[in-house]
Amino acid sequence: MTAALMTCKKDFPILQRQVHGKPLVYLDSAATSQKPVQVLEALRQYYEHSNANVHRSVHTLAEEATALYEGARQKVARFIGASQPEEVVFTRGTTEALNFVARGWAEKHLKAGDEVVTSPMEHHSNLIPWQVVCRRTGARLRFIELNPDGTLNLEQAGEVIGPRTRLVALSALSNVLGTINPIAEVARMAHAVGAVMVVDGAQSVPHQLTRVMEMGADFLAFSGHKMCGPTGIGVLWGKMERLEEMDPILYGGEMIAYVSRDTATWAAVPAKFEGGTPHIAGAIGLGAAVEYLSAIGMEAIWEHDRYLGELAWRRLAEIPGVAVYGPSAPRSGLVAFNIEGVHPHDVAQVFDSQGVAIRAGHHCCQPLMQWLEVGATARASFYLYNDESDIDRLVEAIEATKRYFQP
Ligand code: PMP
């Protein structure tokens, strides 16, 4: 572990909290991450010093706010290796970004007989928009199947991605299985048949160094709140060409070039997609978050998170009566599991009494639960502020749960 990683926990005030009289162990970063003082301070500074609407007035505060907002766009663009800041569209989060692509690009370009390809491990926000697009256009939704260990079956992917495929939508990292998907490889298959590659980066962008060009994505969606940023802010990155051919979703202020009584023309990308007053503070906070993560180093964070994910998977797999899901390695920094005979909600409740915060449920992945043949799972997820001692507390909480339910 690098020195920066070893000392970063002190940057997160919430991690000093006690829960039920025990020191908090936060293992739910895949749902939302905690926020460092550097991000909290950026929000406070903006509201205390420069708060104004952006792109409208010419007074000093408005100009400062606009510079901060556009500065955040540049920071995010650099963070993901975008070729220009204008390719970064601020949205409410991954869900909104994927819905924008479905409504603004796919509904416009797809027709009956076309095919959309996705996988059974997708979060509902990277599945339902495509179901609806297919229903509206007459296109067909097809799936890349999974191998028994929860990795993608690439051989079958080569069969399902074919001349009728117009769009492939895939998550870079699974929020349940911890699977690391070979995005660049699937993108090559998609592009070989002229299809567009949409990547759900909700779990990958916070943990993995992201280089959109190398990834081969046409669109990438992610959320600020899972990467040390505020809630309510996220990003749709798209290749300029794709964003230009995509329709806006929100019509109103600031997204226009010219309006007459009867008609209107659209502003250039990205303003075209940012109708209404944006989440200015959120974008500034996200800018501070990506600076914070970059200073620690995304390669170091990725190595650290993967190490914890693989270690936790191995340690939990050794415990009698515990089932773990997804590949053993390589895997990302989370592990979904079940304790025999105990409902995951009860698991989460016993954990909470021990000060250990995890998530239990279907994780917005009901088709994946059907594939796993379980109703729900518990899930522990790690981030830069976690370490091996948190895995000790996780294992102790499992032992406590077993004692409680299986005396
Ligand atoms: N995709 C994946 C893989 C996710 O894990 C999540 C969040 N759980 C989302 C999409 C949706 O993100 P948001 O709720 O921030 O829009």
Side-chain angles (χ1 to χ4, degrees), residues 94 98 116-123 126-127 130 142-146 151-154 157 161 167-174 179-187 189-190 196-202 204 215 217 219-221:
T94 306
L98 292 168
V116 173
V117 173
T118 186
S119 91
M121 72 169 85
E122 301 307 311
H123 189 280
N126 195 30
L127 173 64
W130 313 121
R142 301 192 63 189
F143 291 86
I144 303 172
E145 296 303 336
L146 307 184
T151 54
L152 279 188
N153 182 335
L154 281 181
I161 298 172
L167 186 147
V168 177
L170 194 63
S171 53
L173 297 183
S174 157
T179 308
I180 303 165
N181 282 326
I183 293 295
E185 210 170 326
V186 177
M189 293 181 189
V196 156
M197 183 75 197
V198 181
V199 179
D200 173 351
S204 69
M215 215 177 202
F219 292 106
L220 171 73

Side-chain angles (χ1 to χ4, degrees), residues 292-370:
Y292 178 79
L293 293 171
S294 300
I296 291 181
M298 288 310 294
E299 281 106 340
I301 291 172
W302 179 224
E303 197 178 318
H304 170 80
D305 295 347
R306 249 179 31 224
Y307 168 73
L308 292 181
E310 288 170 13
L311 179 65
W313 193 98
R314 280 200 310 276
R315 288 197 57 189
L316 268 55
E318 283 167 6
I319 305 173
V322 172
V324 288
Y325 304 103
S328 56
R331 61 170 20 256
S332 68
L334 58 82
V335 58
F337 63 96
N338 267 313
I339 303 177
E340 201 180 333
V342 190
H343 192 280
H345 285 151
D346 294 331
V347 173
Q349 202 139 21
V350 178
F351 275 43
D352 184 56
S353 72
Q354 309 282 314
V356 180
I358 59 158
R359 180 168 174 194
H362 54 62
H363 312 287
C364 303
C365 290
Q366 287 188 357
L368 180 61
M369 296 297 116
Q370 291 148 23

